[in-house]
Amino acid sequence: QICLSLVKLLFYLAHSPLGSIVLLDFQPRQFVMVDGNLKVTDMDDASTEELSCKEDNDCTLDFPTKSFPLKCSVVGKCEGMNEKKNLFNAYRYFFTYLLPHSAPPALQPLLSNILNATGDLRYGINETLRDFEKVLHLYKSGLYLQKRPLLLKDYISLKGFRTVEGEDYKCWPSYSHLGCLLSIHSAEEAAAICNSQSQCQSFIVTQQRTWTGRPLASFQSSWTDLIPDTNAVVYIKRSASSGERL
């Protein structure tokens, strides 16, 4: 969410009515999240000036660990200097820390491609936004899910119930530090996640949603303490419930 919002912001800056705008003091502290959107808190160090040049050798974009050769345009300006400076700063301050860690396994190669392409500046902001929106579409639609055996049949569902909240086993990337709370596309995907975790004996799907509209599921190591909740459904492994009375 943070990276996509940042890319949308940089897309606007690259195509603004004033021309391509560069943020000269590009630091995480210069941004704030407002209603799920990343905004710049200080525009004092923004500029529309593109570096003047006479030849391509005048257009080297330098960073502490990398340098990139750019082209000198016919009007004597370094082509895309502002856009590329913003994009590489987004890569080194945001993408490298946030992109590799929280996507479903099937989407990780797509995010790795974005990471590598922006880190080498093979992508401009248009291509970066295009690929981010592609990943978002796959994520929201569930199209990233590979065909697999149906596992939900191995679970008993109880509508109108959930387990008592409390600290349980933890997983990554959980929305809660007390347990394993993950976003899912469907109960079928939740069943696959539960099967992949040795501690998991049950999971609960509620009406709580993430910013993409995906429901949250809580994965738990037991199911014995059930309480009524009209907005929840608890799914219990049949193997875990065998010999027990529901």
Side-chain angles (χ1 to χ4, degrees):
Q1 182 181 14
I2 293 172
C3 291
L4 174 62
S5 187
L6 176 59
V7 168
K8 288 180 177 179
L9 172 62
L10 297 187
F11 179 85
Y12 173 78
L13 294 179
H15 301 285
S16 83
L18 300 176
S20 183
I21 299 174
V22 63
L23 302 176
L24 298 175
D25 186 19
F26 198 114
Q27 299 284 340
R29 65 173 180 268
Q30 299 283 26
F31 300 90
V32 64
M33 289 292 286
V34 179
D35 296 328
N37 294 307
L38 205 68
K39 296 183 181 294
V40 183
T41 60
D42 185 2
M43 292 292 289
D44 289 345
D45 294 312
S47 174
T48 58
E49 289 295 321
E50 295 270 18
L51 185 65
S52 297
C53 58
K54 293 183 179 179
E55 56 184 27
D56 290 350
N57 289 338
D58 298 328
C59 295
T60 301
L61 182 56
D62 290 315
F63 291 95
T65 58
K66 280 190 177 182
S67 296
F68 301 96
L70 303 181
K71 296 291 186 181
C72 182
S73 71
V74 293
V75 296
K77 297 290 184 181
C78 294
E79 288 184 356
M81 175 75 79
N82 289 351
E83 173 187 332
K84 292 182 182 297
K85 184 178 290 187
N86 283 341
L87 188 56
F88 189 78
N89 278 327
Y91 158 81
R92 65 180 182 140
Y93 286 119
F94 287 89
F95 297 172
T96 54
Y97 297 104
L98 300 177
L99 284 187
H101 306 299
S102 59
L107 292 178
Q108 287 176 2
L110 298 179
L111 292 179
S112 294
N113 180 62
I114 294 175
L115 192 64
N116 293 332
T118 53
D120 295 334
L121 285 185
R122 288 184 283 110
Y123 274 6
I125 192 62
N126 294 356
E127 295 85 0
T128 304
L129 179 58
R130 176 202 66 202
D131 276 18
F132 262 104
E133 290 182 333
K134 176 184 177 181
V135 173
L136 179 63
H137 171 68
L138 295 173
Y139 184 61
K140 292 174 70 173
S141 65
L143 291 174
Y144 68 91
L145 293 169
Q146 300 171 347
K147 290 185 178 180
R148 62 182 75 184
L150 298 180
L151 302 172
L152 200 58
K153 66 182 186 308
D154 298 328
Y155 289 77
I156 297 169
S157 65
L158 296 174
K159 295 182 179 180
F161 289 92
R162 64 175 173 83
T163 56
V164 177
E165 292 184 7
E167 190 168 347
D168 207 321
Y169 78 90
K170 298 173 177 61
C171 66
W172 176 262
S174 177
Y175 282 82
S176 170
H177 67 281
L178 296 176
C180 185
L181 185 65
L182 303 174
S183 76
I184 57 169
H185 177 258
S186 63
E188 186 64 52
E189 182 183 15
I193 293 172
C194 189
N195 276 26
S196 70
Q197 299 173 344
S198 59
Q199 308 99 314
C200 186
Q201 297 298 316
S202 66
F203 62 88
I204 304 154
V205 179
T206 70
Q207 293 185 355
Q208 190 177 359
R209 296 289 189 270
T210 68
W211 66 281
T212 60
R214 288 162 56 98
L216 289 174
S218 176
F219 299 86
Q220 301 183 338
S221 59
S222 65
W223 58 271
T224 53
D225 298 324
L226 296 180
I227 58 175
D229 185 339
T230 57
N231 296 321
V233 182
V234 61
Y235 295 84
I236 304 165
K237 280 184 178 179
R238 293 183 183 273
S239 58
S241 63
S242 61
E244 302 285 348
R245 293 183 61 187
L246 294 179

